[in-house]
Amino acid sequence: MRIQQLQYIIKIVETGSMNEAAKQLFITQPSLSNAVKDLENEMGIEIFIRNPKGITLTRDGMEFLSYARQVVEQSHQALDKPAEG
């Protein structure tokens, strides 16, 4: 699992669309879909239910989203923290 994949999940939820998320992330939609599938396979869960009308979070996806937001926020805080010494 990479921070980038977590950021992808967050962006998809924010936009409500794989296509729009891909545009905002400056990647192709197939690349984004593959990254999500890889993450789902790695975690052993389904994060999104995909249907012709769009995507929705699964129950596991809702729990994972909370985790993803925490990890991304903590990584930003770690990068923003000035070096001590």
Side-chain angles (χ1 to χ4, degrees):
M1 176 184 350
R2 298 184 320 264
I3 296 288
Q4 183 180 49
Q5 289 170 305
L6 302 180
Q7 292 170 325
Y8 289 175
I9 299 299
I10 294 166
K11 183 59 74 174
I12 293 165
V13 171
E14 287 174 354
T15 62
S17 160
M18 286 269 195
N19 287 332
E20 185 57 33
K23 286 178 191 174
Q24 291 186 20
L25 292 164
F26 303 103
I27 62 173
T28 66
Q29 189 274 329
S31 294
L32 180 58
S33 291
N34 287 336
V36 171
K37 270 294 182 199
D38 289 346
L39 182 59
E40 289 176 324
N41 290 336
E42 182 181 338
M43 299 303 297
I45 62 171
E46 185 178 27
I47 299 171
F48 295 108
I49 298 171
R50 297 150 180 88
N51 60 54
K53 294 184 179 182
I55 56 160
T56 55
L57 279 169
T58 63
R59 185 175 300 256
D60 285 340
M62 286 184 236
E63 188 175 327
F64 187 81
L65 176 63
S66 175
Y67 164 76
R69 285 182 170 149
Q70 289 175 22
V71 171
V72 169
E73 178 61 30
Q74 288 174 358
S75 71
H76 287 204
Q77 288 174 1
L79 292 173
D80 291 341
K81 186 176 180 181
E84 294 180 18

